């Protein structure tokens, strides 16, 4: 690369630095440039007596790393002009616009680090590697500028859920995640979902602040219900419908597995096993999916040597065992109920379903009926729809928190195991909320 091309690079990479380009000198060693830099001269006033025209009194040298792209690393020796006041004798320095006090990275490098750490797929290691820095330099910048504090006010709709983590990070296997339902943002993350930890957290929030919460969505974790009813007595608590559907689906699946085992001849390859075992294993999705959403058309079955569409496959499966057929239609009815019922009609429909589950004489569905009875009021509340803006309504659910948990999982997995809970919490909130303020470094 020729000298003129390097000069163009300098103009680009130091465009916000206020350096005197005519006095900026460098030498190159591989992908590293060693730069001697001087600020453009400016009129200085004494900070003590405000007199003008102080005289120059040497320089203070400060070595700063500047790296905003994956190609070049600049080691910059900044010559910071020292002045002495002719009137009062005070000494002072010109303003250092290239780096912040007590930092050996340029302001642009700090900004590049923080911008890249907003991306869930980036890690401290990947950012450090891309910017020719050490992992600890990146971590120190993140810890210095990002320290999330939840808002003083609580959202109208809270969602509670947990996220499993490495026990080396926190005392508990599960973190407790609190989400602002309407804004799809994290409100806070606690290091444990234990009842005493959550209770202690909410008890410190003034009751007048807590009274602003109108709805809370949870899964079927008893601790969440107890905490919500204790600290948010006035709020409506809703069970996430996905967890209820999953409960009923698991009841059907246990029947399927029991029927399969009756016909299991021990073959390693399902195609060599009993035809009923093979069909129940290969086409289990027919039983659990929304049937109307499954594609039409026929598929060739090598085991049966025939072409079959989804209706024929379903009939074949349900003809294998009467209990499986009864469980399937109960599950299908719940799916339809969950999809079509309204808050005004769901109570009566749910009570009929619970009664039919009890009358089914299927042990797994009788267990489900007991659970549905225990959580009935909260399931009914899940059919409440609320205004989310832009003339849109959304049913109460843990949908937003599940999406956030997926991003948390990405951060956790890519980070190869965080050991510092507070750093992990700050990183998750910083990535997901987007508007987390940065601390001012003074």
């Amino acid at each position: 690369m020729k000298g003129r091309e390097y000069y163009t690079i300098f103009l680009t990479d130091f465009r916000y630095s206020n350096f005197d380009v005519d006095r900026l000198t460098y030498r190159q060693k591989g992908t590293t440039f060693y730069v001697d830099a001087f600020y453009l001269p400016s009129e200085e006033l004494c900070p003590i007596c405000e007199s003008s025209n102080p005289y120059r009194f040497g320089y203070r040298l400060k070595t700063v790393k500047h790296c905003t792209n994956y190609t070049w690393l600049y080691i910059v020796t900044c010559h910071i002009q020292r002045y002495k006041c002719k009137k009062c004798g005070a000494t002072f320095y010109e303003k250092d616009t290239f780096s912040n006090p007590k930092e050996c990275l340029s302001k642009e490098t700090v900004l590049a680090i923080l911008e890249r750490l907003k991306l869930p797929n980036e890690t401290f290691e990947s950012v450090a590697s891309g910017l020719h820095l050490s992992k600890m330099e990146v971590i120190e910048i993140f810890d210095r500028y990002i320290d999330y504090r939840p808002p003083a006010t609580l959202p109208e709709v809270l969602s509670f859920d947990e996220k499993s983590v490495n026990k080396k990070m926190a005392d508990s296997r599960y973190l407790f995640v609190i989400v602002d339902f309407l804004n799809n943002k994290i409100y806070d993350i606690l290091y444990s979902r234990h009842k005493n930890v959550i209770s202690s957290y909410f008890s410190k929030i003034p009751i007048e602040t807590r009274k602003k919460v109108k709805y809370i969505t949870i899964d079927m974790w008893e601790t969440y219900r107890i905490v919500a009813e204790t600290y948010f007595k006035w709020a409506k608590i809703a069970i996430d419908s996905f967890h209820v559907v999953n409960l009923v689906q698991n009841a059907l699946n246990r029947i399927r597995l029991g029927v399969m085992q009756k016909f299991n001849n021990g073959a390693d390859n399902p195609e060599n096993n009993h035809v009923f075992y093979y069909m129940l294993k290969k086409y289990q999705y027919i039983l659990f999916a929304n049937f109307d959403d499954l594609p039409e058309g026929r598929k060739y079955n090598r085991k049966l040597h025939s072409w079959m569409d989804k209706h024929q496959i379903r009939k074949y499966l349900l003809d294998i065992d009467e209990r499986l057929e009864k469980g399937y239609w109960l599950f299908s009815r719940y799916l339809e109920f969950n999809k079509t019922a309204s808050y005004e009609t769901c109570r009566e429909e749910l009570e009929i379903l619970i009664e039919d589950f009890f009358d089914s004489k299927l042990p797994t569905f009788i267990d489900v009926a007991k659970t549905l009875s225990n959580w009935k009021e909260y399931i009914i509340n899940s059919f409440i729809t609320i205004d989310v803006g832009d003339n849109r309504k959304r049913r109460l659910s843990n949908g937003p928190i599940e999406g956030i948990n997926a991003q948390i999982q990405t951060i956790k997995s890519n980070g190869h195991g965080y050991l510092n809970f507070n750093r992990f919490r700050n990183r998750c909130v910083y990535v997901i909320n987007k508007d987390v303020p940065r601390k001012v470094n003074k």
Side-chain angles (χ1 to χ4, degrees):
M1 188 180 291
K2 297 180 180 180
R4 182 63 187 174
E5 292 172 314
Y6 282 134
Y7 184 77
T8 303
I9 291 172
F10 285 134
L11 290 180
T12 301
D13 288 349
F14 290 89
R15 58 190 178 279
Y16 302 122
S17 59
N18 196 31
F19 283 137
D20 185 348
V21 176
D22 291 333
R23 301 177 67 198
L24 186 151
T25 61
Y26 64 86
R27 62 184 176 86
Q28 180 192 4
K29 186 176 180 180
T31 58
T32 302
F33 287 86
Y34 296 88
V35 182
D36 282 307
F38 298 81
Y39 285 113
L40 288 167
S42 61
E43 184 177 340
E44 299 288 343
L45 296 178
C46 175
I48 304 300
C49 66
E50 297 186 346
S51 65
S52 59
N53 298 319
Y55 63 88
R56 295 176 181 178
F57 192 59
Y59 294 96
R60 176 170 67 90
L61 303 184
K62 182 179 181 182
T63 301
V64 177
K65 287 184 180 179
H66 179 70
C67 34
T68 58
N69 60 60
Y70 288 91
T71 305
W72 311 109
L73 167 63
Y74 299 96
I75 306 296
V76 183
T77 300
C78 299
H79 293 68
I80 303 172
Q81 183 70 62
R82 183 191 292 121
Y83 291 96
K84 188 167 185 177
C85 180
K86 295 177 182 178
K87 184 176 181 181
C88 69
T91 59
F92 59 94
Y93 295 92
E94 66 182 330
K95 187 176 181 181
D96 179 10
T97 59
F98 189 55
S99 63
N100 290 316
K102 300 178 182 179
E103 286 182 358
C104 294
L105 297 177
S106 69
K107 291 181 179 180
E108 291 174 68
T109 302
V110 170
L111 181 61
I113 291 171
L114 295 176
E115 284 300 310
R116 292 184 188 188
L117 286 175
K118 282 185 176 181
L119 304 175
N121 290 320
E122 290 277 18
T123 65
F124 295 124
E125 292 92 337
S126 68
V127 172
S129 175
L131 297 177
H132 308 280
L133 302 171
S134 70
K135 176 182 174 182
M136 283 310 303
E137 285 178 307
V138 173
I139 288 176
E140 286 171 4
I141 289 298
F142 182 77
D143 288 348
R144 182 177 297 133
Y145 285 90
I146 307 300
D147 188 15
Y148 174 74
R149 293 291 182 267
T153 59
L154 285 166
E156 276 192 13
V157 187
L158 289 177
S159 294
F160 296 168
D161 205 357
E162 64 279 335
K163 188 74 189 110
S164 63
V165 291
N166 187 332
K167 272 196 171 183
K168 292 180 180 179
M169 183 201 301
D171 296 337
S172 171
R173 182 183 171 188
Y174 293 95
L175 305 181
F176 180 62
V177 185
I178 311 169
V179 164
D180 178 347
F181 175 89
L182 292 176
N183 294 308
N184 287 358
K185 293 165 61 174
I186 294 176
Y187 179 79
D188 209 348
I189 302 176
L190 309 188
Y191 66 89
S192 171
R193 68 169 182 175
H194 289 165
K195 178 182 172 184
N196 60 331
V197 174
I198 304 173
S199 297
S200 174
Y201 180 85
F202 284 122
S203 67
K204 294 174 183 176
I205 299 177
I207 190 168
E208 291 305 316
T209 301
R210 284 186 269 128
K211 281 185 176 179
K212 295 179 180 179
V213 178
K214 297 179 181 178
Y215 305 100
I216 298 176
T217 69
I218 62 174
D219 58 23
M220 289 183 179
W221 184 250
E222 186 68 23
T223 295
Y224 298 164
R225 176 166 74 172
I226 293 171
V227 169
E229 289 179 336
T230 301
Y231 296 97
F232 302 92
K233 299 182 186 340
W234 47 87
K236 287 188 179 294
I237 303 167
I239 291 293
D240 179 54
S241 63
F242 169 82
H243 290 85
V244 185
V245 169
N246 195 51
L247 176 76
V248 185
Q249 178 177 300
N250 287 341
L252 173 60
N253 192 43
R254 288 197 293 274
I255 294 175
R256 180 189 70 89
L257 292 173
V259 174
M260 278 177 60
Q261 284 306 115
K262 284 172 49 181
F263 300 101
N264 186 3
N265 64 22
D268 293 334
N269 189 336
E271 289 194 15
N272 297 330
N273 214 309
H274 191 284
V275 64
F276 290 167
Y277 181 96
Y278 164 79
M279 291 294 287
L280 286 168
K281 188 171 186 68
K282 180 176 179 63
Y283 295 109
Q284 58 180 292
Y285 69 90
I286 294 286
L287 300 176
F288 302 128
N290 189 322
F291 191 74
D292 292 337
D293 293 339
L294 292 173
E296 299 292 343
R298 298 192 302 164
K299 295 182 179 180
Y300 185 73
N301 185 289
R302 291 184 297 178
K303 183 82 169 177
L304 299 179
H305 307 290
S306 64
W307 290 86
M308 304 176 75
D309 62 23
K310 65 180 182 180
H311 300 277
Q312 292 169 315
I313 295 172
R314 180 174 68 176
K315 184 179 186 309
Y316 188 99
L317 297 178
L318 299 184
D319 284 346
I320 293 174
D321 189 281
E322 182 182 352
R323 292 170 303 155
L324 183 65
E325 180 180 22
K326 185 184 292 186
Y328 172 78
W329 291 117
L330 287 172
F331 172 64
S332 298
R333 282 177 57 196
Y334 196 90
L335 281 183
E336 185 66 18
F337 158 74
N338 184 65
K339 183 178 180 181
T340 62
S342 67
Y343 182 61
E344 291 72 28
T345 65
C346 66
R347 179 180 295 276
E348 182 179 354
E349 294 179 47
L350 179 59
E351 289 174 348
I352 292 172
L353 274 169
I354 292 173
E355 185 176 343
D356 289 346
F357 281 21
F358 273 122
D359 292 342
S360 69
K361 299 182 181 179
L362 299 172
T364 59
F365 277 84
I366 291 173
D367 289 342
V368 170
K370 293 176 182 177
T371 303
L372 296 182
S373 297
N374 185 40
W375 294 90
K376 182 172 70 174
E377 294 303 320
Y378 311 100
I379 296 171
I380 290 169
N381 287 342
S382 75
F383 286 88
I384 295 173
T385 58
I386 59 174
D387 186 5
V388 294
D390 298 327
N391 296 318
R392 293 182 298 115
K393 296 275 189 180
R394 183 192 294 173
R395 183 176 163 186
L396 291 176
S397 73
N398 267 8
I401 207 168
E402 296 299 338
I404 285 172
N405 270 347
Q407 294 186 70
I408 292 175
Q409 179 62 38
T410 298
I411 296 168
K412 185 186 82 167
S413 299
N414 290 344
H416 304 296
Y418 282 76
L419 299 180
N420 185 306
F421 163 71
N422 195 56
R423 184 175 297 138
F424 179 72
R425 167 184 172 273
N426 283 336
R427 180 76 201 286
C428 291
V429 178
Y430 185 64
V431 168
I432 292 165
N433 287 11
K434 303 300 182 186
D435 58 353
V436 176
R438 298 168 183 169
K439 292 193 298 183
V440 177
N441 183 31
K442 296 181 180 180

